[in-house]
Amino acid sequence: MSTSEIATVLAWHDALNSQDIDTLLQLSSDDIEVGGPKGASQGLAALREWATNAGITLVPGRMFVHHGIIVVEQTATWTAEPDKSATLASAFRVVEDQVTSTFRHPDLVTALGATDLSEADEVTDN
């Protein structure tokens, strides 16, 4: 496990949640792939559009890491429905301290299955 990969994903969340789009783009590769329930897109312009318009806050929880793949269980809230939240998960690929892809999944089990990670890959404080 690389702590720099975890730090990159946590910084990416911080930038998204604070709407620091410049930092979000710096933490992402030029050809980043972004996917979720409404489809997928690629590139920094697509990331900028999504981050600016999605109105989502993703608070990271449990994390699972293996060979540059990080799955993060998240609590999501949306500005359109601030009193509602959902637990979902996103899979990230990090290469040389940049997020090269992020795909949102409806739950942790689906995200782990899509990445071939398992409970054994969970990051713990031990």
Side-chain angles (χ1 to χ4, degrees):
M1 159 184 60
S2 168
T3 55
S4 71
E5 293 163 348
I6 294 168
T8 298
V9 169
L10 290 173
W12 195 94
H13 278 82
D14 287 345
L16 173 68
N17 293 340
S18 66
Q19 284 292 288
D20 183 351
I21 303 301
D22 290 339
T23 298
L24 185 70
L25 297 178
Q26 289 171 0
L27 292 166
S28 304
S29 67
D30 291 346
D31 60 348
I32 186 171
E33 293 179 271
V34 180
K38 295 181 180 179
S41 56
Q42 187 171 9
L44 292 176
L47 176 61
R48 176 188 298 276
E49 181 180 339
W50 171 77
T52 302
N53 298 320
I56 193 170
T57 299
L58 297 171
V59 177
R62 296 169 62 198
M63 299 180 77
F64 303 78
V65 179
H66 190 74
H67 293 301
I69 303 295
I70 299 94
V71 170
V72 182
E73 188 172 48
Q74 302 154 316
T75 302
T77 55
W78 292 266
T79 54
E81 298 181 276
D83 295 333
K84 290 187 177 183
S85 67
T87 301
L88 46 90
S90 294
F92 294 83
R93 176 177 288 282
V94 176
V95 176
E96 297 180 7
D97 297 326
Q98 286 197 310
V99 175
T100 61
S101 67
T102 178
F103 287 88
R104 198 169 94 210
H105 298 275
D107 54 49
L108 181 61
V109 171
T110 304
L112 291 175
T115 59
D116 290 331
L117 271 67
S118 71
E119 294 282 339
D121 297 307
E122 185 171 7
V123 176
T124 60
D125 293 337
N126 302 12

